[in-house]
Amino acid sequence: MVLDNPAIRWGYSIASGTTIAALAVFMLDGTAQLVALGIAVLDIVVTPQILKRAADQ
């Protein structure tokens, strides 16, 4: 299965986190930008763990 590979799991999370961060920097400002950047960081950290659990089942 594809999700068994850690590089794939981290690649998905880094790609989506980078996309969220780029949108936050270029399109948002103020508090909304900070919230979106927080979501991006959370996405990069949490998504691989969730995908690992999905691969284990």
Side-chain angles (χ1 to χ4, degrees):
M1 177 181 263
V2 172
L3 294 179
D4 290 333
N5 187 350
I8 299 295
R9 293 192 305 259
W10 281 98
Y12 284 151
S13 67
I14 290 172
S16 64
T18 303
T19 303
I20 296 168
L23 288 172
V25 168
F26 293 118
M27 301 191 78
L28 300 174
D29 59 350
T31 305
Q33 183 180 32
L34 293 176
V35 169
L37 289 172
I39 291 170
V41 169
L42 188 65
D43 183 38
I44 291 172
V45 173
V46 173
T47 300
Q49 297 171 4
I50 293 171
L51 292 176
K52 183 177 180 182
R53 288 187 183 202
D56 290 340
Q57 290 184 359

mmCIF file of all heavy atoms in Angstrom:
data_model
loop_
_atom_site.group_PDB
_atom_site.id
_atom_site.type_symbol
_atom_site.label_atom_id
_atom_site.label_comp_id
_atom_site.label_asym_id
_atom_site.label_seq_id
_atom_site.Cartn_x
_atom_site.Cartn_y
_atom_site.Cartn_z
ATOM 1 N N MET A 1 0.841 -1.180 0.000
ATOM 2 C CA MET A 1 0.000 0.000 0.000
ATOM 3 C C MET A 1 0.887 1.245 0.000
ATOM 4 O O MET A 1 1.958 1.264 0.585
ATOM 5 C CB MET A 1 -0.926 -0.014 1.211
ATOM 6 C CG MET A 1 -1.785 1.212 1.311
ATOM 7 S SD MET A 1 -2.846 1.226 2.743
ATOM 8 C CE MET A 1 -4.333 0.636 2.001
ATOM 9 N N VAL A 2 0.442 2.277 -0.613
ATOM 10 C CA VAL A 2 1.207 3.512 -0.752
ATOM 11 C C VAL A 2 1.463 4.162 0.600
ATOM 12 O O VAL A 2 2.545 4.704 0.851
ATOM 13 C CB VAL A 2 0.464 4.487 -1.684
ATOM 14 C CG1 VAL A 2 1.120 5.842 -1.698
ATOM 15 C CG2 VAL A 2 0.386 3.921 -3.087
ATOM 16 N N LEU A 3 0.518 4.106 1.496
ATOM 17 C CA LEU A 3 0.651 4.800 2.775
ATOM 18 C C LEU A 3 1.629 4.115 3.723
ATOM 19 O O LEU A 3 1.944 4.669 4.784
ATOM 20 C CB LEU A 3 -0.711 4.934 3.441
ATOM 21 C CG LEU A 3 -1.715 5.824 2.722
ATOM 22 C CD1 LEU A 3 -3.034 5.841 3.471
ATOM 23 C CD2 LEU A 3 -1.189 7.218 2.539
ATOM 24 N N ASP A 4 2.122 2.943 3.380
ATOM 25 C CA ASP A 4 3.130 2.294 4.214
ATOM 26 C C ASP A 4 4.479 3.002 4.147
ATOM 27 O O ASP A 4 5.300 2.868 5.041
ATOM 28 C CB ASP A 4 3.307 0.833 3.797
ATOM 29 C CG ASP A 4 2.099 -0.006 4.156
ATOM 30 O OD1 ASP A 4 1.398 0.351 5.124
ATOM 31 O OD2 ASP A 4 1.858 -1.006 3.465
ATOM 32 N N ASN A 5 4.712 3.766 3.090
ATOM 33 C CA ASN A 5 5.971 4.461 2.892
ATOM 34 C C ASN A 5 5.949 5.806 3.626
ATOM 35 O O ASN A 5 5.125 6.660 3.324
ATOM 36 C CB ASN A 5 6.189 4.677 1.393
ATOM 37 C CG ASN A 5 7.545 5.249 1.084
ATOM 38 O OD1 ASN A 5 8.286 5.660 1.960
ATOM 39 N ND2 ASN A 5 7.869 5.271 -0.201
ATOM 40 N N PRO A 6 6.860 6.025 4.595
ATOM 41 C CA PRO A 6 6.875 7.289 5.334
ATOM 42 C C PRO A 6 7.131 8.505 4.443
ATOM 43 O O PRO A 6 6.620 9.595 4.723
ATOM 44 C CB PRO A 6 8.011 7.126 6.342
ATOM 45 C CG PRO A 6 8.302 5.687 6.402
ATOM 46 C CD PRO A 6 7.845 5.083 5.119
ATOM 47 N N ALA A 7 7.894 8.342 3.385
ATOM 48 C CA ALA A 7 8.167 9.468 2.494
ATOM 49 C C ALA A 7 6.882 9.959 1.823
ATOM 50 O O ALA A 7 6.695 11.168 1.632
ATOM 51 C CB ALA A 7 9.196 9.074 1.438
ATOM 52 N N ILE A 8 5.992 9.044 1.494
ATOM 53 C CA ILE A 8 4.716 9.416 0.885
ATOM 54 C C ILE A 8 3.855 10.156 1.900
ATOM 55 O O ILE A 8 3.271 11.205 1.585
ATOM 56 C CB ILE A 8 3.978 8.173 0.352
ATOM 57 C CG1 ILE A 8 4.804 7.466 -0.716
ATOM 58 C CG2 ILE A 8 2.593 8.523 -0.147
ATOM 59 C CD1 ILE A 8 5.011 8.280 -1.972
ATOM 60 N N ARG A 9 3.787 9.622 3.117
ATOM 61 C CA ARG A 9 2.977 10.279 4.156
ATOM 62 C C ARG A 9 3.467 11.689 4.432
ATOM 63 O O ARG A 9 2.676 12.633 4.498
ATOM 64 C CB ARG A 9 3.006 9.456 5.442
ATOM 65 C CG ARG A 9 2.313 8.115 5.319
ATOM 66 C CD ARG A 9 2.112 7.467 6.663
ATOM 67 N NE ARG A 9 3.314 7.310 7.443
ATOM 68 C CZ ARG A 9 3.997 6.173 7.557
ATOM 69 N NH1 ARG A 9 3.587 5.093 6.924
ATOM 70 N NH2 ARG A 9 5.078 6.115 8.302
ATOM 71 N N TRP A 10 4.774 11.854 4.606
ATOM 72 C CA TRP A 10 5.327 13.179 4.872
ATOM 73 C C TRP A 10 5.221 14.068 3.642
ATOM 74 O O TRP A 10 5.029 15.284 3.758
ATOM 75 C CB TRP A 10 6.776 13.069 5.344
ATOM 76 C CG TRP A 10 6.849 12.676 6.784
ATOM 77 C CD1 TRP A 10 7.059 11.435 7.275
ATOM 78 C CD2 TRP A 10 6.663 13.525 7.915
ATOM 79 N NE1 TRP A 10 7.029 11.462 8.650
ATOM 80 C CE2 TRP A 10 6.793 12.719 9.065
ATOM 81 C CE3 TRP A 10 6.408 14.875 8.056
ATOM 82 C CZ2 TRP A 10 6.672 13.236 10.345
ATOM 83 C CZ3 TRP A 10 6.289 15.388 9.336
ATOM 84 C CH2 TRP A 10 6.414 14.582 10.467
ATOM 85 N N GLY A 11 5.338 13.497 2.459
ATOM 86 C CA GLY A 11 5.199 14.287 1.235
ATOM 87 C C GLY A 11 3.818 14.893 1.101
ATOM 88 O O GLY A 11 3.672 16.063 0.726
ATOM 89 N N TYR A 12 2.790 14.089 1.392
ATOM 90 C CA TYR A 12 1.419 14.607 1.359
ATOM 91 C C TYR A 12 1.257 15.769 2.332
ATOM 92 O O TYR A 12 0.685 16.808 1.986
ATOM 93 C CB TYR A 12 0.411 13.524 1.730
ATOM 94 C CG TYR A 12 0.116 12.505 0.660
ATOM 95 C CD1 TYR A 12 -0.255 11.217 1.010
ATOM 96 C CD2 TYR A 12 0.186 12.814 -0.684
ATOM 97 C CE1 TYR A 12 -0.534 10.266 0.042
ATOM 98 C CE2 TYR A 12 -0.090 11.878 -1.655
ATOM 99 C CZ TYR A 12 -0.456 10.599 -1.288
ATOM 100 O OH TYR A 12 -0.729 9.673 -2.248
ATOM 101 N N SER A 13 1.749 15.595 3.537
ATOM 102 C CA SER A 13 1.536 16.626 4.548
ATOM 103 C C SER A 13 2.337 17.886 4.244
ATOM 104 O O SER A 13 1.841 19.000 4.449
ATOM 105 C CB SER A 13 1.869 16.091 5.932
ATOM 106 O OG SER A 13 3.253 15.829 6.033
ATOM 107 N N ILE A 14 3.552 17.737 3.752
ATOM 108 C CA ILE A 14 4.355 18.909 3.422
ATOM 109 C C ILE A 14 3.747 19.661 2.241
ATOM 110 O O ILE A 14 3.707 20.899 2.236
ATOM 111 C CB ILE A 14 5.818 18.514 3.166
ATOM 112 C CG1 ILE A 14 6.463 18.090 4.485
ATOM 113 C CG2 ILE A 14 6.600 19.646 2.522
ATOM 114 C CD1 ILE A 14 7.843 17.506 4.356
ATOM 115 N N ALA A 15 3.247 18.929 1.262
ATOM 116 C CA ALA A 15 2.629 19.579 0.101
ATOM 117 C C ALA A 15 1.384 20.363 0.508
ATOM 118 O O ALA A 15 1.206 21.516 0.101
ATOM 119 C CB ALA A 15 2.283 18.540 -0.955
ATOM 120 N N SER A 16 0.532 19.750 1.311
ATOM 121 C CA SER A 16 -0.686 20.457 1.706
ATOM 122 C C SER A 16 -0.380 21.597 2.677
ATOM 123 O O SER A 16 -0.985 22.673 2.591
ATOM 124 C CB SER A 16 -1.698 19.486 2.308
ATOM 125 O OG SER A 16 -1.202 18.928 3.499
ATOM 126 N N GLY A 17 0.565 21.393 3.581
ATOM 127 C CA GLY A 17 0.938 22.452 4.508
ATOM 128 C C GLY A 17 1.566 23.638 3.798
ATOM 129 O O GLY A 17 1.293 24.797 4.134
ATOM 130 N N THR A 18 2.388 23.367 2.797
ATOM 131 C CA THR A 18 2.998 24.442 2.022
ATOM 132 C C THR A 18 1.950 25.215 1.232
ATOM 133 O O THR A 18 2.014 26.445 1.127
ATOM 134 C CB THR A 18 4.058 23.863 1.063
ATOM 135 O OG1 THR A 18 5.016 23.141 1.833
ATOM 136 C CG2 THR A 18 4.753 24.949 0.286
ATOM 137 N N THR A 19 0.977 24.506 0.701
ATOM 138 C CA THR A 19 -0.100 25.168 -0.034
ATOM 139 C C THR A 19 -0.894 26.092 0.884
ATOM 140 O O THR A 19 -1.188 27.244 0.520
ATOM 141 C CB THR A 19 -1.033 24.122 -0.667
ATOM 142 O OG1 THR A 19 -0.270 23.269 -1.505
ATOM 143 C CG2 THR A 19 -2.136 24.782 -1.459
ATOM 144 N N ILE A 20 -1.238 25.609 2.060
ATOM 145 C CA ILE A 20 -1.982 26.440 3.020
ATOM 146 C C ILE A 20 -1.157 27.651 3.430
ATOM 147 O O ILE A 20 -1.673 28.772 3.490
ATOM 148 C CB ILE A 20 -2.393 25.605 4.254
ATOM 149 C CG1 ILE A 20 -3.368 24.507 3.859
ATOM 150 C CG2 ILE A 20 -3.002 26.494 5.331
ATOM 151 C CD1 ILE A 20 -3.603 23.481 4.947
ATOM 152 N N ALA A 21 0.134 27.437 3.688
ATOM 153 C CA ALA A 21 0.998 28.546 4.094
ATOM 154 C C ALA A 21 1.136 29.587 2.977
ATOM 155 O O ALA A 21 1.113 30.794 3.243
ATOM 156 C CB ALA A 21 2.368 28.020 4.509
ATOM 157 N N ALA A 22 1.272 29.134 1.751
ATOM 158 C CA ALA A 22 1.396 30.066 0.630
ATOM 159 C C ALA A 22 0.122 30.891 0.463
ATOM 160 O O ALA A 22 0.183 32.109 0.247
ATOM 161 C CB ALA A 22 1.704 29.302 -0.655
ATOM 162 N N LEU A 23 -1.016 30.241 0.568
ATOM 163 C CA LEU A 23 -2.277 30.972 0.487
ATOM 164 C C LEU A 23 -2.399 31.973 1.624
ATOM 165 O O LEU A 23 -2.894 33.095 1.431
ATOM 166 C CB LEU A 23 -3.460 30.015 0.498
ATOM 167 C CG LEU A 23 -3.652 29.194 -0.773
ATOM 168 C CD1 LEU A 23 -4.743 28.147 -0.569
ATOM 169 C CD2 LEU A 23 -3.985 30.089 -1.937
ATOM 170 N N ALA A 24 -1.961 31.589 2.811
ATOM 171 C CA ALA A 24 -2.033 32.494 3.955
ATOM 172 C C ALA A 24 -1.155 33.717 3.744
ATOM 173 O O ALA A 24 -1.574 34.844 4.009
ATOM 174 C CB ALA A 24 -1.609 31.758 5.223
ATOM 175 N N VAL A 25 0.054 33.509 3.237
ATOM 176 C CA VAL A 25 0.990 34.623 3.069
ATOM 177 C C VAL A 25 0.533 35.569 1.966
ATOM 178 O O VAL A 25 0.614 36.791 2.112
ATOM 179 C CB VAL A 25 2.407 34.085 2.794
ATOM 180 C CG1 VAL A 25 3.344 35.188 2.338
ATOM 181 C CG2 VAL A 25 2.956 33.397 4.035
ATOM 182 N N PHE A 26 0.061 35.010 0.855
ATOM 183 C CA PHE A 26 -0.245 35.840 -0.301
ATOM 184 C C PHE A 26 -1.675 36.382 -0.345
ATOM 185 O O PHE A 26 -1.935 37.355 -1.052
ATOM 186 C CB PHE A 26 0.047 35.082 -1.591
ATOM 187 C CG PHE A 26 1.516 34.798 -1.788
ATOM 188 C CD1 PHE A 26 1.972 33.501 -1.847
ATOM 189 C CD2 PHE A 26 2.431 35.832 -1.878
ATOM 190 C CE1 PHE A 26 3.323 33.232 -2.021
ATOM 191 C CE2 PHE A 26 3.775 35.582 -2.053
ATOM 192 C CZ PHE A 26 4.226 34.275 -2.120
ATOM 193 N N MET A 27 -2.602 35.773 0.395
ATOM 194 C CA MET A 27 -3.992 36.187 0.252
ATOM 195 C C MET A 27 -4.644 36.665 1.541
ATOM 196 O O MET A 27 -5.705 37.281 1.481
ATOM 197 C CB MET A 27 -4.813 35.039 -0.337
ATOM 198 C CG MET A 27 -4.303 34.595 -1.695
ATOM 199 S SD MET A 27 -5.400 33.497 -2.537
ATOM 200 C CE MET A 27 -6.599 34.667 -3.127
ATOM 201 N N LEU A 28 -4.055 36.393 2.677
ATOM 202 C CA LEU A 28 -4.676 36.768 3.944
ATOM 203 C C LEU A 28 -3.803 37.760 4.692
ATOM 204 O O LEU A 28 -2.618 37.913 4.390
ATOM 205 C CB LEU A 28 -4.902 35.521 4.810
ATOM 206 C CG LEU A 28 -5.793 34.434 4.216
ATOM 207 C CD1 LEU A 28 -5.795 33.219 5.115
ATOM 208 C CD2 LEU A 28 -7.196 34.948 4.001
ATOM 209 N N ASP A 29 -4.394 38.400 5.673
ATOM 210 C CA ASP A 29 -3.616 39.277 6.534
ATOM 211 C C ASP A 29 -4.206 39.274 7.940
ATOM 212 O O ASP A 29 -5.313 38.801 8.171
ATOM 213 C CB ASP A 29 -3.560 40.704 5.984
ATOM 214 C CG ASP A 29 -4.928 41.336 5.819
ATOM 215 O OD1 ASP A 29 -5.922 40.620 5.949
ATOM 216 O OD2 ASP A 29 -4.988 42.551 5.561
ATOM 217 N N GLY A 30 -3.422 39.736 8.872
ATOM 218 C CA GLY A 30 -3.877 39.844 10.256
ATOM 219 C C GLY A 30 -4.070 38.499 10.933
ATOM 220 O O GLY A 30 -3.302 37.564 10.746
ATOM 221 N N THR A 31 -5.131 38.437 11.704
ATOM 222 C CA THR A 31 -5.425 37.243 12.492
ATOM 223 C C THR A 31 -5.724 36.037 11.607
ATOM 224 O O THR A 31 -5.308 34.916 11.928
ATOM 225 C CB THR A 31 -6.620 37.509 13.430
ATOM 226 O OG1 THR A 31 -6.326 38.661 14.219
ATOM 227 C CG2 THR A 31 -6.869 36.330 14.336
ATOM 228 N N ALA A 32 -6.398 36.253 10.498
ATOM 229 C CA ALA A 32 -6.713 35.143 9.590
ATOM 230 C C ALA A 32 -5.436 34.504 9.059
ATOM 231 O O ALA A 32 -5.352 33.281 8.919
ATOM 232 C CB ALA A 32 -7.581 35.623 8.438
ATOM 233 N N GLN A 33 -4.423 35.326 8.787
ATOM 234 C CA GLN A 33 -3.150 34.798 8.299
ATOM 235 C C GLN A 33 -2.475 33.940 9.373
ATOM 236 O O GLN A 33 -1.967 32.865 9.086
ATOM 237 C CB GLN A 33 -2.231 35.944 7.888
ATOM 238 C CG GLN A 33 -0.916 35.471 7.294
ATOM 239 C CD GLN A 33 -0.020 36.622 6.907
ATOM 240 O OE1 GLN A 33 -0.049 37.674 7.544
ATOM 241 N NE2 GLN A 33 0.758 36.442 5.869
ATOM 242 N N LEU A 34 -2.486 34.416 10.593
ATOM 243 C CA LEU A 34 -1.867 33.658 11.684
ATOM 244 C C LEU A 34 -2.588 32.339 11.926
ATOM 245 O O LEU A 34 -1.952 31.311 12.179
ATOM 246 C CB LEU A 34 -1.842 34.502 12.957
ATOM 247 C CG LEU A 34 -0.936 35.738 12.915
ATOM 248 C CD1 LEU A 34 -1.091 36.532 14.203
ATOM 249 C CD2 LEU A 34 0.500 35.338 12.674
ATOM 250 N N VAL A 35 -3.906 32.362 11.862
ATOM 251 C CA VAL A 35 -4.682 31.137 12.043
ATOM 252 C C VAL A 35 -4.367 30.146 10.926
ATOM 253 O O VAL A 35 -4.156 28.949 11.169
ATOM 254 C CB VAL A 35 -6.190 31.443 12.113
ATOM 255 C CG1 VAL A 35 -7.015 30.176 12.032
ATOM 256 C CG2 VAL A 35 -6.516 32.217 13.378
ATOM 257 N N ALA A 36 -4.310 30.619 9.699
ATOM 258 C CA ALA A 36 -4.011 29.732 8.573
ATOM 259 C C ALA A 36 -2.599 29.164 8.675
ATOM 260 O O ALA A 36 -2.378 27.992 8.366
ATOM 261 C CB ALA A 36 -4.196 30.482 7.255
ATOM 262 N N LEU A 37 -1.643 29.961 9.109
ATOM 263 C CA LEU A 37 -0.279 29.446 9.285
ATOM 264 C C LEU A 37 -0.232 28.404 10.406
ATOM 265 O O LEU A 37 0.491 27.409 10.308
ATOM 266 C CB LEU A 37 0.684 30.599 9.568
ATOM 267 C CG LEU A 37 0.966 31.515 8.376
ATOM 268 C CD1 LEU A 37 1.779 32.716 8.830
ATOM 269 C CD2 LEU A 37 1.654 30.772 7.256
ATOM 270 N N GLY A 38 -1.006 28.607 11.452
ATOM 271 C CA GLY A 38 -1.098 27.602 12.506
ATOM 272 C C GLY A 38 -1.696 26.303 11.998
ATOM 273 O O GLY A 38 -1.238 25.209 12.355
ATOM 274 N N ILE A 39 -2.707 26.419 11.169
ATOM 275 C CA ILE A 39 -3.315 25.223 10.571
ATOM 276 C C ILE A 39 -2.310 24.512 9.681
ATOM 277 O O ILE A 39 -2.250 23.272 9.665
ATOM 278 C CB ILE A 39 -4.594 25.605 9.803
ATOM 279 C CG1 ILE A 39 -5.679 26.032 10.786
ATOM 280 C CG2 ILE A 39 -5.075 24.465 8.917
ATOM 281 C CD1 ILE A 39 -6.901 26.644 10.137
ATOM 282 N N ALA A 40 -1.496 25.268 8.952
ATOM 283 C CA ALA A 40 -0.483 24.661 8.089
ATOM 284 C C ALA A 40 0.530 23.860 8.906
ATOM 285 O O ALA A 40 0.880 22.730 8.550
ATOM 286 C CB ALA A 40 0.219 25.739 7.269
ATOM 287 N N VAL A 41 0.982 24.430 10.008
ATOM 288 C CA VAL A 41 1.939 23.725 10.869
ATOM 289 C C VAL A 41 1.290 22.484 11.468
ATOM 290 O O VAL A 41 1.891 21.401 11.500
ATOM 291 C CB VAL A 41 2.467 24.663 11.977
ATOM 292 C CG1 VAL A 41 3.252 23.891 13.023
ATOM 293 C CG2 VAL A 41 3.310 25.769 11.368
ATOM 294 N N LEU A 42 0.077 22.629 11.925
ATOM 295 C CA LEU A 42 -0.644 21.489 12.493
ATOM 296 C C LEU A 42 -0.838 20.393 11.446
ATOM 297 O O LEU A 42 -0.695 19.202 11.748
ATOM 298 C CB LEU A 42 -1.987 21.958 13.043
ATOM 299 C CG LEU A 42 -2.796 20.961 13.840
ATOM 300 C CD1 LEU A 42 -2.050 20.601 15.121
ATOM 301 C CD2 LEU A 42 -4.148 21.547 14.183
ATOM 302 N N ASP A 43 -1.129 20.782 10.236
ATOM 303 C CA ASP A 43 -1.312 19.825 9.150
ATOM 304 C C ASP A 43 -0.023 19.052 8.881
ATOM 305 O O ASP A 43 -0.048 17.833 8.709
ATOM 306 C CB ASP A 43 -1.764 20.549 7.888
ATOM 307 C CG ASP A 43 -2.036 19.619 6.734
ATOM 308 O OD1 ASP A 43 -2.566 18.523 6.977
ATOM 309 O OD2 ASP A 43 -1.736 19.999 5.585
ATOM 310 N N ILE A 44 1.108 19.740 8.871
ATOM 311 C CA ILE A 44 2.381 19.075 8.597
ATOM 312 C C ILE A 44 2.730 18.080 9.697
ATOM 313 O O ILE A 44 3.292 17.024 9.436
ATOM 314 C CB ILE A 44 3.501 20.121 8.411
ATOM 315 C CG1 ILE A 44 3.272 20.881 7.103
ATOM 316 C CG2 ILE A 44 4.871 19.475 8.414
ATOM 317 C CD1 ILE A 44 4.203 22.054 6.900
ATOM 318 N N VAL A 45 2.357 18.379 10.925
ATOM 319 C CA VAL A 45 2.713 17.505 12.046
ATOM 320 C C VAL A 45 1.734 16.341 12.209
ATOM 321 O O VAL A 45 2.152 15.206 12.462
ATOM 322 C CB VAL A 45 2.783 18.336 13.350
ATOM 323 C CG1 VAL A 45 2.975 17.441 14.555
ATOM 324 C CG2 VAL A 45 3.897 19.362 13.253
ATOM 325 N N VAL A 46 0.449 16.593 12.047
ATOM 326 C CA VAL A 46 -0.567 15.598 12.394
ATOM 327 C C VAL A 46 -0.905 14.650 11.234
ATOM 328 O O VAL A 46 -1.155 13.465 11.458
ATOM 329 C CB VAL A 46 -1.841 16.310 12.908
ATOM 330 C CG1 VAL A 46 -2.975 15.342 13.109
ATOM 331 C CG2 VAL A 46 -1.536 17.040 14.196
ATOM 332 N N THR A 47 -0.901 15.136 10.019
ATOM 333 C CA THR A 47 -1.330 14.324 8.879
ATOM 334 C C THR A 47 -0.536 13.028 8.725
ATOM 335 O O THR A 47 -1.140 11.973 8.501
ATOM 336 C CB THR A 47 -1.291 15.154 7.578
ATOM 337 O OG1 THR A 47 -2.177 16.253 7.726
ATOM 338 C CG2 THR A 47 -1.707 14.326 6.391
ATOM 339 N N PRO A 48 0.799 13.028 8.859
ATOM 340 C CA PRO A 48 1.515 11.753 8.732
ATOM 341 C C PRO A 48 1.109 10.722 9.789
ATOM 342 O O PRO A 48 1.064 9.523 9.510
ATOM 343 C CB PRO A 48 2.985 12.133 8.894
ATOM 344 C CG PRO A 48 3.056 13.564 8.565
ATOM 345 C CD PRO A 48 1.742 14.137 8.957
ATOM 346 N N GLN A 49 0.787 11.192 10.982
ATOM 347 C CA GLN A 49 0.377 10.269 12.036
ATOM 348 C C GLN A 49 -0.979 9.647 11.714
ATOM 349 O O GLN A 49 -1.189 8.450 11.939
ATOM 350 C CB GLN A 49 0.324 11.003 13.373
ATOM 351 C CG GLN A 49 1.671 11.522 13.806
ATOM 352 C CD GLN A 49 1.580 12.428 15.012
ATOM 353 O OE1 GLN A 49 0.520 12.625 15.593
ATOM 354 N NE2 GLN A 49 2.713 12.996 15.395
ATOM 355 N N ILE A 50 -1.883 10.450 11.197
ATOM 356 C CA ILE A 50 -3.206 9.932 10.823
ATOM 357 C C ILE A 50 -3.083 8.962 9.660
ATOM 358 O O ILE A 50 -3.717 7.898 9.653
ATOM 359 C CB ILE A 50 -4.154 11.102 10.481
ATOM 360 C CG1 ILE A 50 -4.430 11.922 11.739
ATOM 361 C CG2 ILE A 50 -5.445 10.594 9.864
ATOM 362 C CD1 ILE A 50 -5.175 13.214 11.477
ATOM 363 N N LEU A 51 -2.252 9.290 8.672
ATOM 364 C CA LEU A 51 -2.071 8.402 7.531
ATOM 365 C C LEU A 51 -1.390 7.101 7.937
ATOM 366 O O LEU A 51 -1.677 6.047 7.360
ATOM 367 C CB LEU A 51 -1.274 9.109 6.429
ATOM 368 C CG LEU A 51 -1.984 10.264 5.740
ATOM 369 C CD1 LEU A 51 -1.056 10.936 4.736
ATOM 370 C CD2 LEU A 51 -3.263 9.803 5.064
ATOM 371 N N LYS A 52 -0.509 7.144 8.918
ATOM 372 C CA LYS A 52 0.131 5.917 9.409
ATOM 373 C C LYS A 52 -0.901 5.001 10.058
ATOM 374 O O LYS A 52 -0.896 3.787 9.832
ATOM 375 C CB LYS A 52 1.228 6.246 10.409
ATOM 376 C CG LYS A 52 1.953 5.015 10.883
ATOM 377 C CD LYS A 52 3.081 5.366 11.830
ATOM 378 C CE LYS A 52 3.777 4.106 12.276
ATOM 379 N NZ LYS A 52 4.840 4.387 13.238
ATOM 380 N N ARG A 53 -1.790 5.581 10.837
ATOM 381 C CA ARG A 53 -2.851 4.763 11.449
ATOM 382 C C ARG A 53 -3.761 4.171 10.396
ATOM 383 O O ARG A 53 -4.212 3.030 10.518
ATOM 384 C CB ARG A 53 -3.663 5.592 12.441
ATOM 385 C CG ARG A 53 -2.894 5.901 13.695
ATOM 386 C CD ARG A 53 -3.789 6.562 14.703
ATOM 387 N NE ARG A 53 -3.001 6.907 15.878
ATOM 388 C CZ ARG A 53 -3.525 7.104 17.063
ATOM 389 N NH1 ARG A 53 -4.818 7.007 17.252
ATOM 390 N NH2 ARG A 53 -2.757 7.400 18.081
ATOM 391 N N ALA A 54 -4.039 4.931 9.349
ATOM 392 C CA ALA A 54 -4.872 4.420 8.261
ATOM 393 C C ALA A 54 -4.181 3.282 7.529
ATOM 394 O O ALA A 54 -4.817 2.305 7.135
ATOM 395 C CB ALA A 54 -5.210 5.537 7.286
ATOM 396 N N ALA A 55 -2.861 3.381 7.375
ATOM 397 C CA ALA A 55 -2.114 2.322 6.695
ATOM 398 C C ALA A 55 -2.053 1.058 7.533
ATOM 399 O O ALA A 55 -2.030 -0.054 7.002
ATOM 400 C CB ALA A 55 -0.702 2.805 6.377
ATOM 401 N N ASP A 56 -2.040 1.203 8.858
ATOM 402 C CA ASP A 56 -1.958 0.046 9.746
ATOM 403 C C ASP A 56 -3.253 -0.754 9.775
ATOM 404 O O ASP A 56 -3.247 -1.930 10.111
ATOM 405 C CB ASP A 56 -1.598 0.484 11.162
ATOM 406 C CG ASP A 56 -0.157 0.967 11.256
ATOM 407 O OD1 ASP A 56 0.650 0.624 10.366
ATOM 408 O OD2 ASP A 56 0.160 1.689 12.229
ATOM 409 N N GLN A 57 -4.359 -0.122 9.437
ATOM 410 C CA GLN A 57 -5.647 -0.829 9.522
ATOM 411 C C GLN A 57 -6.022 -1.487 8.244
ATOM 412 O O GLN A 57 -5.711 -1.393 7.212
ATOM 413 C CB GLN A 57 -6.740 0.134 9.923
ATOM 414 C CG GLN A 57 -6.582 0.577 11.338
ATOM 415 C CD GLN A 57 -7.742 1.482 11.765
ATOM 416 O OE1 GLN A 57 -8.635 1.786 11.008
ATOM 417 N NE2 GLN A 57 -7.706 1.901 13.013
#
